Amino acid sequence: MSKVTKTDILREITPLTQSDCFTLFSRVKSEFDFPLHTHEEYELNFIQHAKNAQRVIGDHMEEIDDIELVLVGPNLQHAWFTHRSKGKEIREITIQFHKDLFDERLLRRNQLSFIRTMFERSVRGILFSKETALRVAPRIIDMNNKHGFDSVLELMSILHDLSTSRNMRTLSDASFNTAEPFSYNSRRVEKTFEYMKLNFDRPIGLAEVAKLANMSEVAFSRFFKQRTGNTFIDSLTEIRLGHATRLLIDTTQSVAEIAYHCGFNNMSNFNRIFRKKKNCTPREFRESFSGRRIFI
């Protein structure tokens, strides 16, 4: 079976220079023709009139609505495909900006805490709610008419409004994009994640990680959920699935081998969890990437 390997994913060299703050592409088209790709820059993508097109962000795939707004972090593979879209006038506006547009020391200031948190989450890809996309759309469309410092201020204002918006959703599993660290502002949580990432291929119990954090199981469960928004078991499962999806794309190992290597105790359990999280079987997931082979 053909498969997508790392060499099949286009490494896009964007036209941004170090003298630029950001670049904006605005286009109307009838189909998506850019392959699965990554780049160093952050990317804010606004898409309209492409209902039933397919979005791929990291290891996450789904059909899109008539309007959507997505923030993609650095080095996270992504693409949109025509799929079942019948749109003849698809509007796409893409804004790309450097990782260092916001200095780290600036991001630590209280007034930028929401933007900092949003950037941390964007390494997995963020889908903003339809309500947010509709509200911000006129400003993004009007960015074409702004110039110089005014356009920089407007971009920062839009990013701030997005960072405080409700019902944003992270897309890719936590361990799929390993290029950027994800910070929960807690050494105990970071230590737990480091431990899970090193030991995901074997059974790990709550008692084990609670002891590592020097907390009782009940206290650790509550603390972990408050800090991450996820339970320990769900986070461990995400890490395992992230590694599994990476192996499904990058290797020709059998599904059974991948399940075993990623810490799942049996195939039925692996298939059940995979389908629940990805809305497809591991085999269907692998096949869905096989049609996107490119030559560089």
Side-chain angles (χ1 to χ4, degrees), residues 12-25:
E12 183 189 1
I13 307 299
T14 65
L16 269 179
T17 71
Q18 284 303 315
S19 300
D20 301 317
C21 286
F22 69 91
T23 185
L24 182 149
F25 300 101

Side-chain angles (χ1 to χ4, degrees), residues 185-293:
N185 298 317
S186 166
R187 180 57 195 153
R188 281 175 169 170
V189 171
E190 289 176 3
K191 188 176 180 182
T192 302
F193 270 94
E194 289 169 8
Y195 186 81
M196 287 192 291
K197 287 174 182 178
L198 287 173
N199 297 280
F200 69 91
D201 56 344
R202 67 168 183 80
I204 304 176
L206 177 61
E208 189 176 343
V209 289
K211 184 178 180 182
L212 186 71
N214 198 26
M215 300 172 74
S216 70
E217 292 181 36
V218 173
F220 176 79
S221 291
R222 186 182 305 115
F223 172 78
F224 191 89
K225 181 70 181 289
Q226 287 174 342
R227 288 292 181 139
T228 69
N230 228 350
T231 67
F232 157 69
I233 291 298
D234 282 345
S235 294
L236 179 59
T237 298
E238 282 194 352
I239 289 172
R240 286 171 169 164
L241 282 178
H243 284 281
T245 51
R246 177 66 63 130
L247 290 173
L248 285 166
I249 294 170
D250 287 347
T251 76
T252 56
Q253 291 181 33
S254 71
V255 174
E257 286 176 312
I258 289 172
Y260 174 75
H261 288 314
C262 292
F264 292 95
N265 53 13
N266 62 65
M267 274 298 295
S268 61
N269 186 44
F270 175 58
N271 281 318
R272 180 182 59 80
I273 293 174
F274 198 100
R275 181 181 283 278
K276 181 180 178 182
K277 291 282 189 177
K278 304 295 181 188
N279 295 317
C280 64
T281 67
R283 190 163 282 103
E284 288 168 344
F285 178 87
R286 171 174 269 171
E287 289 170 355
S288 68
F289 273 87
S290 67
R292 303 200 173 93
R293 191 171 186 86

Side-chain angles (χ1 to χ4, degrees), residues 111-122:
Q111 290 78 8
L112 279 86
S113 62
F114 287 103
I115 290 181
R116 182 183 70 242
T117 300
M118 180 177 71
F119 284 172
E120 289 173 351
R121 289 180 64 177
S122 75

Side-chain angles (χ1 to χ4, degrees), residues 118-136:
M118 180 177 71
F119 284 172
E120 289 173 351
R121 289 180 64 177
S122 75
V123 299
R124 298 169 60 184
I126 296 174
L127 173 67
F128 298 97
S129 70
K130 187 174 183 178
E131 292 72 23
T132 297
L134 287 167
R135 187 175 70 250
V136 178

Side-chain angles (χ1 to χ4, degrees), residues 42-44 69-73 97 118-119 122 125-126 128 159:
Y42 286 96
E43 179 174 296
L44 184 65
L69 185 61
V70 173
L71 178 63
V72 180
F97 55 96
M118 180 177 71
F119 284 172
S122 75
I126 296 174
F128 298 97
L159 289 173

